[in-house]
Amino acid sequence: MGSKNHEVVPTPLIAQISGLRNGGVNKLLGSLAKRNLIARVQNSKYDGYRLTYGGYDYLAMRTFSKRGSVHSVGNQIGVGKESDIYVVADEEGNQMVLKLHRLGRISFRTIKSKRDYMGKRKHASWMYMSRLAAQKEWAFMKALHEHGFPVPKPIDQARHCIVMELIDSFPLRQVSDVPSPGKLYSTLMDLIVRFAKAGLIHGDFNEFNILIRQATGEPVVIDFPQMVSTRHENAEYYFNRDVECIRTFFKRRFGYESKLYPKFTSTFKERSTDDSKDDFRLDVIVAASGFKSHEMKTLEE
């Protein structure tokens, strides 16, 4: 609660929120600090504590455990600028993927320029923004999966973490050869158009966020915190960037280049006359997911 508006939560505020006496609070804080779940910070303004990512991870995992979503944690299978990926399992041994958002690995200025997580908020912790990123990704993944898009099945979400299905696949960036580059190229371009006709632009549609199924060779799209509406003021820029990322990768990796690729304006001319079942609006996604409208505004400029 205190971390929502404070990177460092003052000790008196912790005591106030907890309802405990100062002596009891200090003893508990010391015990948590020894376990690296929180860290004491002293500065010229006030003394207080900040929640570490280890502490935040513990709170999320405790929630998953209570819900029965996660029983055990396995190996780390991925790490990025803004997330860690682990294999986890439920009580029956079914394996899944756990994604922990880690905003703060890149500079605050970079985060603020790329994604307006804070909106008009002047003070916010990295963990609060990580939670918003996870909530946004969960909302989009859930809605897309329900509408038949090739995305992982979302299983659970708590704080800055998401649990989703484990897909037997490998990232497109690891693929050196495919039987038919043209077919895969067309499938990916069709996906970009399909997203747009549903009112969405992925915003980071590239070889790092596309998986290829081992069994069928079909693509699966991942990573949605940067997804925006086609009504976004920079929608055309993000759409064209997604298209160019695929064109550039196929030319560099497979030596494949096509003169056929989707354009933003023509895509929306087609959408205006298309009664596709995938034509749903972002406000419907928000209503279905429980992601609050003011939080959506915080995540988008």
Side-chain angles (χ1 to χ4, degrees), residues 26-42:
N26 290 332
K27 183 178 180 180
L28 290 173
L29 290 174
S31 177
L32 292 172
K34 286 182 180 179
R35 292 168 172 78
N36 295 320
L37 300 178
I38 61 174
R40 187 179 182 185
V41 178
Q42 296 175 294

Side-chain angles (χ1 to χ4, degrees), residues 10 63 70 75 124 280:
T63 299
V70 175
N75 296 330
F280 61 97

Side-chain angles (χ1 to χ4, degrees), residues 109-121:
R109 182 175 298 178
T110 303
I111 283 282
K112 189 69 173 74
S113 64
K114 288 186 176 179
R115 305 172 193 172
D116 191 12
Y117 284 102
M118 293 176 64
K120 297 181 180 180
R121 188 183 303 275

